[in-house]
Amino acid sequence: MNIRKEKTPSQSKIEMTQLVLPNDTNLLNNLLGGRMLHWIDIAGALAASKHSNSKVATVAIERVEFREPINVGDMVILFATLTYAGNTSMDIKVDVYSENLETGIRIKTNKAYLTFVALDHQEKPKTVPLLIPETPSEISEYKLSEDKRIERKRKKAR
Ligand SMILES: CC(C)(COP(=O)(O)OP(=O)(O)OC[C@H]1O[C@@H](n2cnc3c(N)ncnc32)[C@H](O)[C@@H]1OP(=O)(O)O)[C@@H](O)C(=O)NCCC(=O)NCCS
C-alpha cells in the first residue's frame, strides 16, 4: 500500500518579487492586468510544483479583482501558499502587494485563488502529498477551500 506523503503549507510557500517596467504597463502607465495574471499564475505554479515535486498545469483561476493601480517603477511582491490538496489537484492562494520604492509604502493590491493539477512524466494527473495546515489561518483557508470544492462538485452533479 502506498502511504501518501504529508507536507505543511510553509514547506511550499513562495515569495516572488517583480519590478514594474515600462513594457509591463497599459496606456495609463499602470501595471497591465494581463501581466499581473501572468505573475499570479507563475507564483501559484511554483508553490504547487514545490508541494508536488512535479510539473503542474493550471486548471482554474477564480475571480481576480484589481482594486488599486500599480505604477511603473513599483515593486510587486507575490506570496503564494497552498490552501488545500486534493488527490491530484492543489488550491493556492496568492496575495499581492505593491511597494513604492521611494516612500517604502506597501499596499495590498490583489488576492487570487487558483487550482493546479500535478502531472507525471506522461502528463497524466498524479497523486500529490496531503496538506497538513498548522496555523489558525491555514486551518481556516483549508476549510474554505474544502467548502468551495464541495460546492463545485454539487453544482457539477446538477
Ligand atoms: C490538467 C488536466 C491534465 C487534468 O486532466 P483531467 O482529465 O481533467 O483530470 P481529472 O478530471 O481527473 O481532474 C484532475 C483534478 O483536477 C480537478 N479539476 C478539474 N477541473 C477543475 C476545475 N475546473 N476547477 C477546479 N478543479 C478542477 C479535479 O477535481 C481533480 O482533482 P482531484 O484529483 O484532486 O480530485 C487537463 O484538464 C488539462 O490538460 N487541462 C489543460 C491545462 C492547461 O493547459 N492549463 C493552462 C491553461 S492556459
Side-chain angles (χ1 to χ4, degrees):
M1 194 178 79
N2 268 348
I3 295 172
R4 272 175 83 181
K5 265 198 198 170
E6 293 180 352
K7 284 188 176 180
T8 62
S10 60
Q11 285 179 275
S12 54
K13 198 171 177 143
I14 294 293
E15 179 177 341
M16 187 173 115
T17 308
Q18 299 285 337
L19 172 66
V20 181
L21 295 170
N23 200 33
D24 300 318
T25 59
N26 58 22
L27 295 175
L28 304 166
N29 271 336
N30 298 321
L31 177 63
L32 194 65
R35 184 74 82 228
M36 171 63 83
L37 290 178
H38 177 71
W39 290 344
I40 287 173
D41 194 26
I42 299 284
L46 285 171
S49 284
K50 209 170 166 189
H51 180 80
S52 59
N53 294 116
S54 62
K55 289 183 183 166
V56 298
T58 316
V59 279
I61 301 183
E62 252 187 40
R63 181 187 168 91
V64 184
E65 288 179 18
F66 299 92
R67 294 181 180 198
E68 302 282 348
I70 301 177
N71 301 313
V72 66
D74 282 354
M75 179 165 77
V76 175
I77 312 103
L78 301 98
F79 296 95
T81 317
L82 246 85
T83 59
Y84 191 89
N87 185 27
T88 66
S89 66
M90 295 154 281
D91 295 341
I92 317 282
K93 180 187 179 194
V94 182
D95 289 308
V96 186
Y97 297 80
S98 72
E99 184 172 320
N100 180 310
L101 290 165
E102 286 177 13
T103 63
I105 295 173
R106 185 181 279 204
I107 52 169
K108 186 164 184 177
T109 55
N110 306 78
K111 179 170 76 168
Y113 287 92
L114 304 89
T115 304
F116 294 86
V117 172
L119 301 173
D120 64 17
H121 292 298
Q122 279 75 47
E123 298 189 2
K124 298 279 176 241
K126 67 171 244 197
T127 306
V128 301
L130 291 166
L131 186 72
I132 311 297
E134 292 181 310
T135 66
S137 82
E138 287 169 2
I139 292 166
S140 123
E141 287 287 355
Y142 187 92
K143 285 188 182 140
L144 192 69
S145 275
E146 199 168 39
D147 289 347
K148 282 191 215 166
R149 279 174 175 249
I150 293 166
E151 182 60 17
R152 193 171 62 235
K153 281 188 182 149
R154 202 175 57 79
K155 277 187 184 157
K156 212 174 161 186
R158 270 194 216 145

